[in-house]
Amino acid sequence: QVQLVGSGGGLVQPGGSLRLSCAASRTLPGIEAMGWFRQAAGERELVARIHVSGATFYADSVKGRFSVSRNAANTRLYLQMDNLKPDDTDIYYCRAWGRARSYWGEGIAVTVSS
């Protein structure tokens, strides 16, 4: 059974940085993309995504502040979050998915507050 284990959340002041990590318990065949979501108002929204080709996507709200990356084996996913704002406070989830499968990590709490 595949597990995605996330880490790196916590409390940070506005303007600060955090780096989220997500580790897969094994290789993930058939995966097309990996990404980060956050639980906004009851619905998970895509924050950043990286395709196996390396192409990236960012939500408008995080462009220029967040950066998504992964390792070559697609077993590690990262989200560098800079210039954090109080509105970034949320539960973040990593996800890996392909046409016939989807794996979610457990939530990672991020709090941006002074």
Side-chain angles (χ1 to χ4, degrees):
Q1 183 176 354
V2 174
Q3 285 186 309
L4 297 182
V5 179
S7 61
L11 172 64
V12 64
Q13 292 187 343
S17 297
L18 282 174
R19 180 177 168 88
L20 302 184
S21 299
C22 180
S25 56
R26 61 172 177 84
T27 56
L28 305 173
I31 292 304
E32 298 179 351
M34 303 178 77
W36 293 94
F37 292 72
R38 60 189 181 188
Q39 191 83 27
E43 181 176 322
R44 291 185 185 180
E45 64 171 7
L46 178 62
V47 174
R49 178 191 66 216
I50 183 164
H51 191 266
V52 293
S53 66
T56 57
F57 166 86
Y58 297 94
D60 288 343
S61 59
V62 306
K63 279 181 183 176
R65 301 187 299 118
F66 289 14
S67 178
V68 62
S69 61
R70 58 170 173 79
N71 68 345
N74 293 319
T75 56
R76 296 290 186 274
L77 180 70
Y78 306 98
L79 185 67
Q80 178 66 40
M81 304 186 293
D82 297 321
N83 190 22
L84 282 160
K85 304 176 180 181
D87 283 351
D88 296 318
T89 295
D90 217 316
I91 305 296
Y92 288 73
Y93 299 86
C94 62
R95 182 190 178 201
W97 69 93
R99 291 186 180 184
R101 61 204 69 198
S102 176
Y103 307 103
W104 287 93
E106 74 278 15
I108 304 170
V110 171
T111 302
V112 185
S113 175
S114 55

